[in-house]
């Protein structure tokens, strides 16, 4: 799918490790061109789409991180996982979220859950990376973040309507989020919703 006619992101890329293949770097750029307009439209149309991408051999804390308008991908990760191009889909969602540092500190699981929900929904080729939220992991908790929380969000959309993740994102960005959001939005508090989600998952519910 091309992004012609939509706002293409303005991406500056620096590759600090010559052993990272050009195919992988071009794959990140193609992925960003494809997913940024969709994720921006979905969550935060007012956001800027100026992105700096650095593939850095000095970053070793994980696959990638985002801060200060910069997406940093670990060069070691880029070399060992050349088909995981949607790692940048998760990361660019953090730029589009634009939450305050306090929101990141207080509601980390939602921050990472929303980013993985965006990867699930808008990712260009999650299958190539073997990445999905299909499987329910027994014993997972809402506060695990990442795929565990994203999977709950996919269920919340399935039972509560498509706007629920966007409303969650808006309250997080406004700095007004509390867990009362869920009772106000659905009639059930967050603990009751999580219990319903677990029961549904054990009975076989899975995201499409
Ligand atoms: Zn993240």
């Amino acid at each position: 799918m091309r992004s012609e006619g939509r706002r293409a992101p303005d991406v500056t890329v620096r590759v600090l490790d010559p052993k990272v293949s050009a195919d992988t770097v071009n794959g990140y750029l193609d992925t960003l061109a494809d997913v940024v307009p969709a994720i921006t439209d979905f969550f935060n149309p007012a956001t800027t789409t100026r992105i700096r991408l650095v593939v850095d051999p000095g970053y070793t804390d994980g696959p990638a991180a985002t801060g200060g308008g910069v997406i940093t991908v670990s060069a070691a990760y880029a070399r060992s996982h050349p088909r995981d191009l949607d790692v940048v889909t998760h990361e660019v969602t953090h730029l589009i979220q634009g939450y305050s540092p306090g929101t990141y500190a207080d509601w980390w699981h939602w921050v990472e859950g929303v980013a993985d929900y965006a990867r699930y929904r808008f990712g260009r080729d999650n299958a190539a990376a073997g990445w999905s939220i299909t499987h329910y992991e027994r014993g997972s908790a809402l506060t695990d973040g990442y795929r565990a929380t994203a999977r709950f969000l996919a269920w919340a959309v399935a039972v509560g309507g498509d706007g629920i993740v966007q409303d969650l994102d808006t309250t997080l960005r406004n700095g007004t989020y509390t867990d009362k959001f869920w009772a106000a939005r659905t009639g059930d508090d967050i603990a009751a919703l999580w219990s319903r989600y677990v029961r549904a998952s054990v009975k076989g519910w899975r995201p499409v």
Side-chain angles (χ1 to χ4, degrees):
M1 191 163 54
R2 308 306 317 172
S3 56
E4 283 160 12
R6 309 182 73 187
R7 295 182 311 284
D10 174 5
V11 184
T12 308
V13 62
R14 287 170 67 211
V15 181
L16 304 179
D17 179 346
K19 296 198 217 60
V20 173
S21 85
D23 282 353
T24 302
V25 175
N26 289 332
Y28 293 150
L29 296 175
D30 287 347
T31 299
L32 288 170
D34 195 43
V35 304
V36 167
I39 298 173
T40 302
D41 286 351
F42 188 77
F43 283 119
N44 188 7
T47 196
T48 176
T49 49
R50 181 165 293 182
I51 297 156
R52 284 187 288 156
L53 173 67
V54 182
V55 183
D56 186 353
Y59 180 78
T60 56
D61 288 346
T66 296
V70 181
I71 297 171
T72 302
V73 177
S74 153
Y77 187 83
R79 288 164 59 187
S80 60
H81 297 78
R83 302 188 71 188
D84 186 9
L85 302 176
D86 280 302
V87 66
V88 298
T89 303
H90 173 104
E91 295 303 327
V92 82
T93 302
H94 288 318
L95 291 182
I96 294 164
Q97 285 170 318
Y99 304 154
S100 73
T103 295
Y104 280 94
D106 293 344
W107 303 110
W108 170 91
H109 57 289
W110 293 126
V111 177
E112 297 300 347
V114 167
D116 263 358
Y117 180 81
R119 176 174 178 156
Y120 151 71
R121 181 159 179 153
F122 299 106
R124 197 163 182 245
D125 197 353
N126 284 315
W131 189 99
S132 86
I133 60 168
T134 303
H135 176 68
Y136 171 67
E137 200 154 319
R138 278 173 192 262
S140 67
L142 177 66
T143 50
D144 287 347
Y146 295 102
R147 276 184 265 191
T149 307
R151 198 176 186 284
F152 169 79
L153 291 175
W155 174 82
V157 167
V159 301
D162 201 24
I164 202 159
V165 179
Q166 288 145 304
D167 290 349
L168 171 65
D169 168 70
T170 300
T171 63
L172 288 165
R173 185 160 38 260
N174 291 345
T176 55
Y177 177 82
T178 71
D179 280 342
K180 292 188 178 123
F181 167 86
W182 294 97
R185 192 66 172 65
T186 72
D188 277 343
D189 69 24
I190 187 62
L193 281 174
W194 180 259
S195 297
R196 281 176 60 195
Y197 162 72
V198 169
R199 282 198 300 276
S201 295
V202 168
K203 282 187 193 158
W205 178 85
R206 49 171 55 192
V208 289

